Amino acid sequence: MQQYDIVIIGGGPAGLAAGIKAKEEGIDNILIIERDNKLGGILNQCIHNGFGLHTFKEELTGPEYAQRFIDKAVYMKIPYKLNTMVIDISNDKKITAVNDKDGIMEIQAKAIVLAMGCRERPRGAINIPGSRCAGIYSAGTAQKFVNIEGYMPGKEVVILGSGDIGLIMARRMTFEGSKVKAVVEVMPYSGGLKRNIVQCLDDYDIPLKLSYTVTNIKGKERVEGVTIAKVDKNRKPIKGTEEFISCDTVLLSVGLIPENDLSKKAGVNLSNVTSGAFVNESLQTSVEGIFACGNVLHVHDLVDNVTLESMNAGINAAEYVRGKRFENRGMEIVPSKGVRYTVPTYINAENVEKSIDVRFRVGDVFENSYISVYFGDIREMHIKKSILTPGEMETIKISKDMLVKHSDCKKIDIIVERG
C-alpha cells in the first residue's frame, strides 16, 4: 500500500493547478495520476488562442497555457504517473489504479482532489434518427484528428449544437478548407460564448440556425446529408419546416458531462443539474477529505476560472492534511427563478476569509435584468445585467461581513429578477 498526503486524479489544468498550490502550501507528499500519455489534458489539442488573459494577462494557445503549469510542476518535482487508470476510489480514500509498469496499485491518501474533467455527450444520448454511417464525430474527436493526428474528418460539414467546442471547430474546419454549411442549435440561443459566435461564425459567414434540430442523417457507407427542421417551444420538430443539407460529415457539440464515475464509487453526492459534486465553500464534496475542482465539478467556459478554482482546492486539501476539518453543511445556497445551479452549494462563514466567489449559470436568456441575493427575506445584492445567457457563466462575490451579518440564516436565495 503506497501512502500519500494528497492524490490528485487528473493531470489537466485543474489537477496541475491544485498540485502546484498544495506544494506551495508545504505539502511534499503529492501524487498526480493521469490516464493519458502526457500532462496537460484537453488543452493539448486546443491550439487556438484566447487562453490566459486573466491568469497571465496575455493571450496564449491551449498547449502554451498548459505547458506553463507542466513546467512549474516539473520544476517543483511533483511526482506524477502517466498512462495510469484509476479504477476505484473508496470513501476512506483508498485508490486502486493500474498501468503497464506497476500493474495494479493500491494507494492510501489523506486527501483526494478530483480533477478528471468532462466528456462529450455522444450521438446515442440524443437519439438522432438515421443510418449508422461513417462521418459522424463528436466535435472534440474531430479536433483531435485535425490538431493532433493531422487528419481531415471531411469536406462539407454540418455541426449540431453550438457549444464552444462546436463553434471553434466550425472555424477550424473552415481554416483547413472545409465548407461548414450550418451550425444547428435546438435552443433559441447559442450554448457558447458570445465572442466565439462572433469570431468563429459571424467572421466567416457560417449560418447559425437557432431553434432547429437534425431529424435524420442520410447515408449508407458515408454521410450524404442531413434533414433539419424547426422546433416548437417544446423542442419538437414542426412538420413542413424540413430542409435537406448535403454534407459528408456531421460534428456533434451537444453538451459536456463531468467524468464522475469514480466519484460515485467513492460515495460522493452528485447534482442532477450539473452531474458534478455538491461542494461547500472549501470545494469539499459530501465525503470528508475528497475535494473537486474544474470541469469534473461543473463545466466552465474559461480555463482561467478552472485554474483559480483548482488552486483553492489545492490550498484546502493541504489544510485538511494539516488537520483542519471542513463541515459538509452550512448556509445552503438555493438557486431558483432563472438560476439553474450554484457552486458551491453550502457556505460555512468561518471558512471564508474576506469573500467567496459563487459561480452559476442561468437557464434562459434575460435582458435588462438583475441578479439578486436574498438572506431569508432580506435582499442584500441587486446587480443589474444587460444580458444573461446560459452560455456565459456568472460570478458574484459574497462578503464575509454579509455572511456574519446573517449568521442565523439557513439559506441564501440567488434569483434573476426582471427590470
Side-chain angles (χ1 to χ4, degrees), residues 166-207:
L167 300 176
I168 288 165
M169 281 309 295
R171 178 179 63 181
R172 189 76 182 99
M173 296 295 286
T174 301
F175 283 168
E176 292 300 327
S178 293
K179 173 66 176 176
V180 180
K181 293 195 166 182
V183 175
V184 180
E185 172 57 59
V186 71
M187 302 301 288
Y189 48 80
S190 170
L193 293 169
K194 178 64 176 177
R195 76 182 192 195
N196 284 334
I197 299 170
V198 173
Q199 296 173 2
C200 300
L201 300 187
D202 296 350
D203 287 355
Y204 300 95
D205 296 321
I206 298 171

Side-chain angles (χ1 to χ4, degrees), residues 286-300:
S286 58
V287 179
E288 183 180 298
I290 298 182
F291 301 82
C293 58
N295 283 349
V296 79
L297 178 56
H298 59 134
V299 177
H300 293 64

Side-chain angles (χ1 to χ4, degrees), residues 334-391:
V334 180
S336 61
K337 297 182 181 179
V339 178
R340 293 184 65 238
Y341 72 88
T342 67
V343 172
T345 304
Y346 305 103
I347 299 179
N348 297 290
E350 63 270 22
N351 294 327
V352 177
E353 291 188 8
K354 295 181 180 179
S355 65
I356 182 167
D357 288 341
V358 177
R359 304 191 193 279
F360 61 92
R361 289 186 190 270
V362 295
D364 204 345
V365 176
F366 299 92
E367 295 182 356
N368 298 317
S369 299
Y370 294 84
I371 297 170
S372 298
V373 179
Y374 285 84
F375 288 78
D377 296 328
I378 301 174
R379 187 171 70 188
E380 285 286 0
M381 300 176 71
H382 195 54
I383 305 167
K384 184 171 177 58
K385 291 285 185 176
S386 58
I387 186 77
L388 292 165
T389 69

Side-chain angles (χ1 to χ4, degrees), residues 98-153:
V98 62
N99 63 32
D100 60 0
K101 180 181 177 182
D102 303 302
I104 297 177
M105 298 167 281
E106 288 195 331
I107 301 167
Q108 178 66 65
K110 293 180 181 177
I112 294 174
V113 178
L114 304 173
M116 294 88 73
C118 57
R119 65 178 183 268
E120 294 179 279
R121 184 174 282 112
R123 176 184 178 180
I126 54 176
N127 297 320
I128 305 174
S131 59
R132 297 176 63 84
C133 48
I136 305 169
Y137 310 98
S138 71
T141 299
Q143 185 181 60
K144 185 173 183 179
F145 280 164
V146 176
N147 295 346
I148 303 295
E149 306 295 341
Y151 298 126
M152 276 296 288

Side-chain angles (χ1 to χ4, degrees), residues 247-320:
C247 62
D248 61 17
T249 304
V250 177
L251 301 187
L252 305 178
S253 178
V254 290
L256 300 169
I257 305 170
E259 285 266 22
N260 272 301
D261 293 336
L262 290 172
S263 307
K264 291 177 185 177
K265 291 183 178 183
V268 171
N269 292 335
L270 302 180
S271 164
N272 291 327
V273 177
T274 64
S275 297
F278 290 112
V279 295
N280 61 17
E281 77 296 328
S282 305
L283 299 172
Q284 181 178 259
T285 69
S286 58
V287 179
E288 183 180 298
I290 298 182
F291 301 82
C293 58
N295 283 349
V296 79
L297 178 56
H298 59 134
V299 177
H300 293 64
D301 41 27
L302 297 177
V303 73
D304 303 79
N305 289 337
V306 168
T307 296
L308 183 61
E309 182 178 271
S310 303
M311 286 179 171
N312 288 334
I315 292 171
N316 294 327
E319 290 186 352
Y320 181 86

Side-chain angles (χ1 to χ4, degrees), residues 10-120:
L16 288 168
I20 289 168
K21 205 63 184 177
K23 180 82 170 183
E24 289 176 346
E25 290 291 307
I27 305 299
D28 292 322
N29 193 20
I30 300 171
L31 177 66
I32 298 175
I33 301 176
E34 170 56 49
R35 67 184 177 187
D36 206 346
N37 60 6
K38 63 179 71 173
L39 296 172
I42 197 66
L43 290 185
N44 289 322
Q45 68 183 52
C46 299
I47 66 172
H48 53 279
N49 59 5
F51 300 91
L53 291 170
H54 298 277
T55 304
F56 296 111
K57 310 303 179 187
E58 59 179 306
E59 195 170 42
L60 305 171
T61 64
E64 288 173 331
Y65 187 96
Q67 195 62 47
R68 295 201 177 185
F69 287 91
I70 294 169
D71 290 344
K72 190 166 185 179
V74 171
Y75 176 77
M76 297 175 78
K77 299 181 180 179
I78 298 174
Y80 59 89
K81 288 182 181 293
L82 302 178
N83 297 307
T84 302
M85 177 68 73
V86 176
I87 56 178
D88 190 45
I89 303 175
S90 65
N91 59 10
D92 58 353
K93 298 182 282 295
K94 289 180 182 176
I95 298 165
T96 305
V98 62
N99 63 32
D100 60 0
K101 180 181 177 182
D102 303 302
I104 297 177
M105 298 167 281
E106 288 195 331
I107 301 167
Q108 178 66 65
K110 293 180 181 177
I112 294 174
V113 178
L114 304 173
M116 294 88 73
C118 57
R119 65 178 183 268
E120 294 179 279

